[in-house]
Amino acid sequence: MLNYVSKAADAAHGVLRADQRLDFAKRLRARIEVERHGSQSAREVAKVLARFGDPAALVEREARRLAEQGSPPSATWPPRACRPPRRWRCRGRARGYADVPRHRGRP
């Protein structure tokens, strides 16, 4: 079950905002718990997960639901004007220096 929720959360990465993704994963896990009725049988859990279908399809449905509510998905959030300049973004630097701009040549 946790593997299924993890796959769904991975599929939601880049589609939903972080807060939306966390809420989606939490609600999905709770719904699976309700559907399996406390069963510990791997066969019963597999049947429940099969009824839920492909995790990517669940993410698409969630993105449509959020769009209908007027909550923007990740692809349009934050607007480009609100993003930090590219030179300030993390480039895989270690030790917390990601927010320090790199020097581009001599002053």
Side-chain angles (χ1 to χ4, degrees):
M1 178 188 71
L2 294 178
N3 195 19
Y4 184 87
V5 174
S6 178
K7 286 180 184 180
D10 288 345
H13 186 74
V15 177
L16 305 177
R17 294 190 324 245
D19 61 327
Q20 293 170 336
R21 195 170 59 244
L22 289 172
D23 182 58
F24 170 70
K26 183 176 76 172
R27 288 185 294 110
L28 177 60
R29 185 172 180 182
R31 185 66 188 161
I32 292 170
E33 289 289 340
V34 168
E35 291 291 322
R36 71 184 188 119
H37 304 290
S39 173
Q40 297 297 324
S41 167
R43 180 175 287 171
E44 289 300 317
V45 172
K47 286 180 184 179
V48 168
L49 297 181
R51 284 196 306 257
F52 275 82
D54 182 35
L58 292 177
V59 171
E60 290 174 18
R61 189 168 56 198
E62 178 71 4
R64 281 194 306 269
R65 184 187 72 80
L66 291 170
E68 289 171 1
Q69 286 182 343
S71 183
S74 178
T76 59
W77 191 264
R80 186 172 278 304
C82 296
R83 294 181 189 162
R86 213 174 263 290
R87 62 191 160 111
W88 288 83
R89 293 190 195 157
C90 179
R91 295 190 183 118
R93 292 179 170 181
R95 299 188 189 125
Y97 294 106
D99 58 341
V100 178
R102 291 184 179 182
H103 182 61
R104 303 242 187 232
R106 295 188 175 160

